[in-house]
Amino acid sequence: MERLQKDIIQFTKARNWDGNHDARNLAISISLEASELLEHFQWQSAEEALATNKQEIAEEAADVFIYLLQFADLLGIDLKEEARKKIEKNEERFPV
């Protein structure tokens, strides 16, 4: 994951895009890309959407992931650690 974050940062810096990548803009971009992901499922079943648009869905999911990695890097968030903590918290909130 760290290598991927470094590759994304290098890609962004090489194009001088990092000036626009503050926490606010990245949070907005995550939401916008998630909305584009949802758009593929509008007015059809998940099965239909995947049968006709799987590659586009994968690309939108990757966009969300890339922006989320940039956001986490900028804010110094260890996503793996935070996910583990969230799972533990949810286990307490929603016991089996």
Side-chain angles (χ1 to χ4, degrees):
M1 181 109 72
E2 289 176 22
R3 179 66 193 158
L4 180 57
Q5 281 180 303
K6 288 178 184 175
D7 289 346
I8 293 165
I9 291 164
Q10 183 180 17
F11 178 89
T12 302
K13 285 186 179 187
R15 287 153 183 80
N16 295 317
W17 292 348
D18 51 333
N20 294 326
H21 289 180
D22 58 26
R24 176 186 170 276
N25 286 330
L26 289 169
I28 290 168
S29 295
I30 292 165
S31 180
L32 291 172
E33 293 298 338
S35 294
E36 290 179 18
L37 175 62
L38 281 172
E39 193 172 27
H40 290 285
F41 294 92
Q42 188 176 22
W43 314 124
Q44 58 187 336
S45 70
E47 294 78 18
E48 291 169 325
L50 290 168
T52 58
N53 296 309
K54 188 170 182 177
Q55 182 57 42
E56 292 87 354
I57 290 168
E59 290 173 9
E60 296 301 347
D63 286 340
V64 172
F65 186 59
I66 289 167
Y67 278 125
L68 183 59
L69 288 177
Q70 289 176 304
F71 183 81
D73 182 70
L74 180 69
L75 298 181
I77 297 170
D78 181 336
L79 286 174
K80 288 192 281 188
E81 180 60 27
E82 292 303 321
R84 285 187 191 102
K85 286 186 210 176
K86 186 65 177 183
I87 290 168
E88 289 173 10
K89 185 176 182 177
N90 285 339
E91 284 175 342
E92 290 178 18
R93 277 184 71 198
F94 308 104
V96 178

